[in-house]
Amino acid sequence: MSHTNQTLGEFIIENQSSFKYTSGELSRLINSIRLAAKVVNHDVNKAGLVDIIGAAGEVNVQGENQQKLDVYANKKFIQTLINRNIVCGIASEEEDDFIAINSQDENHQNKYVVLIDPLDGSSNIDVNVSVGTIFSIYRRVTPVGTAVTLEDFLQPGNQQVAAGYVIYGTSTMLVYTTGAGVNGFTLNPAIGTFYLSHPNMRFPEDGKIYSVNEGNYSHFPQGVKNYIKYCQMEEGDRPYTSRYIGSMVSDIHRNMIKGGIFMYPKSSKDSNGKLRLLYECNPMAFIAEQAYGKASDGFGRILDIQPTSLHERAPFFCGSKNMVEKVEEFMRNSMS
Ligand code: P6P
């Protein structure tokens, strides 16, 4: 099949055989995420026009004010996944606990659990800056036909079977991997179809963009401070350029295309950083590695961390391989 103008649906069918597990369910799962992304995109794009922006008046498990669009996106993704009867469990940044599905029906054979950040970067919604959805997919580890348990969700990121994000930006894109590279699809809103626009996405091995909230500089570990000063030095191919949108999906997407590193370190304010391991760091790390980049907690591979709780956080360094390795070198040297 000619790949010019290949749709997401055609791509899924063409690549089903490359997926090492039973293909049909994962394809249906990616298709359900595609549907939910189009529904959320429709409302993100007109958020300023209808009474859907602004705080929903609730506070989520993270202690953050829930934006109405957070709540809306969360409901849409959960509802779509349940309606398609594909998964046996869902965990979300916006839900205190995981959601067991079909737990009363011993006959259900659903094998997958999905973890989502339904609307990442939501603080940008009211100021019209791009936001995103992040998803992570595992096969359950407890027996099929039984109710899912926390064990099904607390798997290390290296067990993911698929992961991706939707970026609601100047255009809406769905970028995902099933472990055979990373591909990006752009939505044609006129007809509601995603087209393969960025095949085989790869992080440039090196880059000149560093993304970090430098307002936290004084709270960073010494190794991070030293790396930031390194980026700012007039020497060799430096100084680099600082770019920080405050929406991780957007920062990492830009860096994957142009080359760069995104950092959310731990600090004296956040002992494990701010980003959540299960539904932010792990899916973005899976994508980064599949795009020949790297994702680290400053010392080791994000995907090898054994989670101990649903909403745990992790320090996060993600992007061009050489840049992540450089900051790890600064982190090691600052410990010696
Ligand atoms: P700060 C958005 O809330 C988010 O989770 C990421 O998308 C983003 O990179 C980060 O937080 C921004 O956090 O503390 O720099 O505003």
Side-chain angles (χ1 to χ4, degrees):
M1 168 183 287
S2 153
H3 285 183
T4 52
N5 296 334
Q6 186 175 39
T7 68
L8 173 57
E10 291 161 349
F11 180 88
I12 290 172
I13 290 166
E14 187 178 277
N15 291 279
Q16 266 186 177
S17 57
S18 69
F19 184 60
K20 61 185 175 184
Y21 297 110
T22 49
S23 48
E25 284 175 304
L26 185 76
S27 300
R28 282 171 44 221
L29 187 41
I30 301 289
N31 274 317
S32 66
I33 289 169
R34 169 180 63 168
L35 172 63
K38 286 196 281 193
V39 172
V40 170
N41 173 67
H42 178 69
D43 284 84
V44 165
N45 282 347
K46 61 181 177 64
L49 300 175
V50 295
D51 177 31
I52 200 165
I53 58 178
E58 300 295 324
V59 174
N60 69 13
V61 66
Q62 320 296 342
E64 296 164 345
N65 281 329
Q66 282 189 325
Q67 301 289 330
K68 283 183 181 176
L69 218 43
D70 273 346
V71 175
Y72 176 81
N74 187 49
K75 278 188 343 192
K76 277 301 160 192
F77 275 94
I78 290 173
Q79 181 183 1
T80 306
L81 289 167
I82 292 175
N83 292 349
R84 290 285 181 96
N85 189 22
I86 304 165
V87 299
C88 52
I90 302 171
S92 168
E93 179 194 55
E94 302 300 335
E95 301 289 333
D96 296 3
D97 200 353
F98 64 85
I99 300 166
I101 297 166
N102 294 335
S103 52
Q104 309 308 323
D105 166 15
E106 281 73 41
N107 299 318
H108 84 82
Q109 295 298 303
N110 296 350
K111 301 181 186 65
Y112 295 102
V113 295
V114 178
L115 299 93
I116 54 170
D117 179 357
L119 210 61
D120 176 68
S122 52
S123 54
N124 287 315
I125 294 168
D126 289 351
V127 294
N128 206 10
V129 170
S130 57
V131 293
T133 295
I134 310 171
F135 62 91
S136 172
I137 302 172
Y138 293 84
R139 287 170 67 84
R140 68 179 301 170
V141 292
T142 54
V144 172
T146 63
V148 289
T149 70
L150 188 56
E151 184 188 1
D152 292 303
F153 296 92
L154 298 187
Q155 300 184 51
N158 56 37
Q159 295 303 303
Q160 291 174 97
V161 295
Y165 59 84
V166 183
I167 179 168
Y168 310 98
T170 46
S171 61
T172 294
M173 282 189 70
L174 171 61
V175 177
Y176 80 97
T177 181
T178 57
V182 177
N183 291 282
F185 301 82
T186 299
L187 179 67
N188 177 341
I191 56 176
T193 301
F194 282 98
Y195 286 92
L196 179 62
S197 54
H198 296 68
N200 301 312
M201 296 181 80
R202 293 182 68 144
F203 267 102
E205 201 170 28
D206 228 324
K208 295 194 175 18
I209 296 172
Y210 70 99
S211 309
V212 66
N213 183 341
E214 295 191 56
N216 297 326
Y217 179 86
S218 61
H219 303 286
F220 286 153
Q222 192 56 48
V224 173
K225 290 180 179 177
N226 296 343
Y227 178 70
I228 290 173
K229 288 306 168 200
Y230 167 83
C231 293
Q232 295 168 342
M233 280 170 66
E234 290 275 359
E235 192 178 295
D237 57 358
R238 302 188 305 289
Y240 294 158
T241 295
S242 174
R243 287 283 184 275
Y244 192 70
I245 299 170
S247 178
M248 174 175 65
V249 169
S250 306
D251 279 314
I252 292 181
H253 183 77
R254 178 207 51 242
N255 291 349
M256 182 154 55
I257 292 170
K258 292 181 174 282
I261 183 170
F262 171 86
M263 300 181 281
Y264 209 102
K266 71 176 185 178
S267 71
S268 48
K269 291 193 301 181
D270 303 309
S271 58
N272 261 329
K274 171 183 181 183
L275 300 178
R276 275 69 67 168
L277 175 61
L278 292 186
Y279 39 80
E280 290 180 327
C281 301
N282 272 338
M284 298 311 283
F286 188 23
I287 288 171
E289 291 198 0
Q290 285 292 312
Y292 297 86
K294 195 159 184 172
S296 168
D297 65 0
F299 299 97
R301 193 176 177 229
I302 282 285
L303 295 181
D304 290 340
I305 296 175
Q306 175 55 55
T308 55
S309 67
L310 211 47
H311 300 293
E312 73 179 70
R313 301 170 193 266
F316 195 47
F317 301 81
C318 178
S320 294
K321 184 172 173 293
N322 292 354
M323 298 179 86
V324 174
E325 289 174 353
K326 192 68 178 175
V327 71
E328 286 181 325
E329 180 189 324
F330 276 96
M331 293 296 281
R332 281 193 303 275
N333 294 343
S334 71
M335 304 300 280
S336 46

